[in-house]
Amino acid sequence: MKNDFDNIDRRILDFLQKDASLSQRALAEQVGLSQNALWRRLKRLEDSGVLQGSHMQIDAVKLGLDLTVFVMVRTRNHSMDWAEGFRKHVALIPQVIEMHRIGGDWDYMLKIVTTGMSGYDAVYQRLTTGYELDTVTGYFAMETMLEGRPLDVFDGVAR
């Protein structure tokens, strides 16, 4: 599907991920299309699943969510059924904002954003209740130095 998108599509995606509040008129002007042509491209990008909603970025610390923990999980069970059950279990914990199945020494990596150590302890208790996990290790972020960067939609493609 990577080759189904031209540079105009990529420019649209680049502008939108940097500022999703752009009006269709402003976006059409930026990429050199009429509003109707832009709308058709946006519809195609949505229908293909490349564009998935829009959201605003929130400053977690200003909301009191001042602790970010990267949790590494190792399990002895690697069946697809177990993995799907564990994914559903983790999805019920709202403080887990990302979950990745990974290669290497660990099986899963979770990103948790919560209110201090007591908040993390509550998440940890929820995470480990009902699932036999071999090892669970938390790495506490001391400072976020780079976050929420837009994707390089031109990676590997001539501009």
Side-chain angles (χ1 to χ4, degrees):
M1 192 150 213
K2 177 179 176 181
N3 296 327
D4 293 342
F5 305 104
D6 63 19
N7 278 347
I8 293 174
D9 291 331
R10 292 175 191 282
R11 289 185 66 215
I12 291 168
L13 295 170
D14 195 43
F15 278 110
L16 284 177
Q17 70 177 338
K18 291 175 181 168
D19 185 359
S21 70
L22 283 173
S23 69
Q24 282 192 11
R25 181 180 191 166
L27 183 56
E29 288 174 9
Q30 290 290 329
V31 298
L33 293 174
S34 70
Q35 280 187 259
N36 285 339
L38 174 72
W39 182 87
R40 286 190 298 275
R41 284 181 181 257
L42 288 173
K43 179 80 172 118
R44 184 174 50 79
L45 290 167
E46 287 175 1
D47 291 347
S48 72
V50 172
L51 277 180
Q52 300 176 357
S54 64
H55 68 278
M56 299 296 284
Q57 192 163 336
I58 297 171
D59 186 322
V61 174
K62 288 182 180 174
L63 284 177
L65 302 169
D66 60 349
L67 181 63
T68 300
V69 185
F70 295 93
V71 174
M72 309 304 286
V73 176
R74 184 178 298 126
T75 180
R76 292 178 188 190
N77 192 330
H78 296 96
S79 75
M80 294 302 286
D81 288 341
W82 188 94
E84 180 57 19
F86 185 58
R87 186 200 63 77
K88 287 178 180 177
H89 171 70
V90 171
L92 294 173
I93 306 171
Q95 295 86 350
V96 179
I97 63 168
E98 292 182 18
M99 177 182 184
H100 305 271
R101 187 171 60 86
I102 60 175
D105 291 337
W106 299 95
D107 298 310
Y108 300 94
M109 181 175 73
L110 286 61
K111 182 178 180 182
I112 296 170
V113 178
T114 189
T115 53
M117 193 56 70
S118 63
Y120 172 63
D121 185 50
V123 171
Y124 177 87
Q125 296 301 324
R126 246 181 114 176
L127 177 66
T128 58
T129 298
Y131 271 85
E132 188 174 325
L133 304 174
D134 192 39
T135 307
V136 178
T137 299
Y139 294 95
F140 302 90
M142 295 170 49
E143 176 185 8
T144 299
M145 300 174 72
L146 192 58
E147 181 179 56
R149 294 182 73 191
L151 297 173
D152 180 0
V153 298
F154 295 99
D155 185 20
V157 176
R159 292 182 192 229

